[in-house]
Amino acid sequence: MFIGRSHLNFSWLVCVLSLSLLSTSCVAQEQIPEKPSPEHHTSDGFKNLHIDDPEKSFFDFMRMRFFGDEEWADHAALADQVPTQQVDLDSILKPAEEPQITWLGHSTFLIQHKKVNVLTDPIFSDRASPFSFTGPERYVPHVIDYTQLPKIDAVVISHNHYDHLDEASILMLAESAYFYVPLGIKDWLVDIGVDATRVNEFDWWETKKFDEQSMDLTIQALPSQHWSARGLGDRFETLWASWSITIFDTHFWFAGDTGYNPVQFKQIGERIASVDLALIPIGAYAPRWFMQHYHVNPAEAVKIHQDIGAEMSIGMHWGTFPLTAEEPSAPVIELEKAKKSAKINTQAFISMVIGQTLVIP
């Protein structure tokens, strides 16, 4: 049957008009489907890939803490188990030519190399808490007046728990630093007054080269096994991450806070360049039955050190806040046992004095 030109034009007009009305139109059938979300994304947040996230709550923690059978150490009474010293200001204001690192307590490190200054999970407050009058209180002294820090170029945040994301610290650094955060945390920083252009938000495996002031700094977000929340109803709504931090020719890896699994850290070791120095948690692991999914013990920290192929590692996340049941010095004691059991060089995984500056050869 012959179809005249007017009929053809009318047919095409109907097809074009249909595009605005029907998902099954002539052209719509050829649309490329949306890229599926990464496996660790959910409809309302994020999840861990290698464990079933337990349905624990703040109230479960309180029951375990105050009504469980586990004996909790009196951290304040045992604070002298943790060695501290005042930061040598000359060392951080006139750093060595080689890379150097200063531990300010808990998971806060000042990483310095070739005039680039990076802070990890800064917490300058006395309490890891939304309140100034209650919550885990720092039981060792601050080792520096934080206003005496050198100008900070970059701040890396692992997740939004109060002992890793501290509002007072962020505001102190907001005018000079750029912030690198996992998905979902940017809005919080902007809400408290940080300029949105200073906040860079990442999903796992995403990379950004820091190009301010011609500094050679590359940062990549990597997987970890943890969780997030700042209130009673926002569990898993924002992402958590470990971080690759490359300053010129030196590669650091910051674990943040994490549990162990035999998959993700091996993947990191296979996909990133050789790690010169890793910062790995060794504390906040007891009681094990409650903490094991989200906090490594020293033996698991050694496994992470091996999985990612680190040349050297430093233990962190201990000796600062009373978060879990073990005594302050227990993580260091257990780390020595774990190194011996794993038959690794005793200097390959060390602990530092809070306030100490270490030059990395």
Side-chain angles (χ1 to χ4, degrees):
M1 177 179 175
F2 176 77
I3 301 177
R5 183 179 300 274
S6 61
H7 290 84
L8 283 171
N9 289 342
F10 180 77
S11 297
W12 278 108
L13 177 61
V14 170
C15 186
V16 170
L17 289 174
S18 298
L19 291 177
S20 64
L21 302 173
L22 302 173
S23 61
T24 57
S25 67
C26 302
V27 177
Q29 292 175 348
E30 300 176 3
Q31 288 181 342
I32 299 173
E34 290 186 8
K35 185 178 179 180
S37 296
E39 191 178 0
H40 60 283
H41 288 221
T42 69
S43 60
D44 55 1
F46 306 92
K47 66 179 181 180
N48 288 294
L49 297 179
H50 302 287
I51 58 169
D52 291 327
D53 288 309
E55 292 295 328
K56 292 179 180 177
S57 69
F58 170 77
F59 301 104
D60 293 317
F61 175 85
M62 296 299 286
R63 279 194 294 270
M64 177 273 296
R65 171 65 180 88
F66 293 105
F67 302 105
D69 296 330
E70 188 81 14
E71 182 177 350
W72 282 57
D74 185 342
H75 293 79
L78 299 172
D80 59 359
Q81 292 182 355
V82 182
T84 68
Q85 65 182 50
Q86 286 296 299
V87 171
D88 182 344
L89 293 179
D90 284 343
S91 294
I92 65 171
L93 298 178
K94 299 176 183 178
E97 289 295 322
E98 298 84 0
Q100 71 177 35
I101 189 159
T102 304
W103 187 31
L104 303 181
H106 202 51
S107 301
T108 306
F109 287 89
L110 171 62
I111 302 171
Q112 297 178 279
H113 189 33
K114 295 185 177 179
K115 299 182 180 180
V116 178
N117 299 314
V118 178
L119 273 180
T120 63
D121 285 358
I123 176 164
F124 304 159
S125 297
D126 290 329
R127 292 187 185 272
S129 168
F131 309 108
S132 61
F133 56 88
T134 190
E137 185 174 15
R138 188 182 182 105
Y139 60 84
V140 293
H142 295 278
V143 291
I144 189 174
D145 174 350
Y146 300 105
T147 64
Q148 295 180 306
L149 286 169
K151 178 183 177 296
I152 302 302
D153 301 299
V155 174
V156 173
I157 300 295
S158 63
H159 63 294
N160 74 350
H161 288 159
Y162 286 91
D163 57 323
H164 295 263
L165 180 60
D166 176 51
E167 181 173 346
S169 305
I170 297 299
L171 292 176
M172 184 179 295
L173 300 163
E175 292 188 6
S176 63
Y178 286 78
F179 297 86
Y180 296 82
V181 303
L183 290 178
I185 295 181
K186 180 175 182 175
D187 286 346
W188 183 88
L189 268 72
V190 172
D191 285 346
I192 68 168
V194 179
D195 186 334
T197 63
R198 289 188 170 273
V199 185
N200 302 275
E201 201 170 52
F202 292 69
D203 200 353
W204 291 348
W205 303 108
E206 289 185 341
T207 303
K208 180 177 177 61
K209 187 174 177 61
F210 187 82
D211 54 9
E212 298 294 325
Q213 302 177 19
S214 301
M215 293 181 183
D216 193 341
L217 171 63
T218 301
I219 296 181
Q220 182 182 27
L222 296 166
S224 64
Q225 182 172 289
H226 203 54
W227 61 290
S228 61
R230 285 184 79 80
L232 298 179
D234 63 342
R235 280 173 63 88
F236 298 103
E237 288 186 5
T238 65
L239 188 57
W240 48 94
S242 65
W243 294 89
S244 165
I245 304 166
T246 305
I247 306 175
F248 289 89
D249 55 350
T250 304
H251 186 199
F252 301 88
W253 183 73
F254 174 59
D257 209 351
T258 188
Y260 181 75
N261 67 72
V263 178
Q264 286 175 310
F265 302 104
K266 288 184 173 68
Q267 291 175 336
I268 291 171
E270 291 166 357
R271 293 180 60 173
I272 65 175
S274 176
V275 176
D276 297 297
L277 179 65
L279 308 172
I280 303 176
I282 61 172
Y285 55 81
R288 203 75 200 111
W289 65 268
F290 192 88
M291 298 293 178
Q292 64 183 348
H293 286 304
Y294 300 129
H295 294 91
V296 293
N297 61 21
E300 291 167 329
V302 169
K303 288 182 181 179
I304 292 176
H305 164 85
Q306 295 173 314
D307 287 352
I308 66 170
E311 291 291 324
M312 179 181 178
S313 294
I314 296 172
M316 64 175 189
H317 204 264
W318 69 278
T320 313
F321 293 99
L323 301 174
T324 49
E326 75 272 10
E327 290 190 6
S329 63
V332 175
I333 294 170
E334 293 303 315
L335 177 61
E336 292 304 312
K337 295 177 183 177
K339 288 189 294 184
K340 185 176 181 179
S341 178
K343 298 180 180 179
I344 67 171
N345 186 319
T346 187
Q347 292 303 307
F349 199 144
I350 65 171
S351 58
M352 292 178 66
V353 173
I354 297 178
Q356 179 184 2
T357 297
L358 185 66
V359 176
I360 309 302

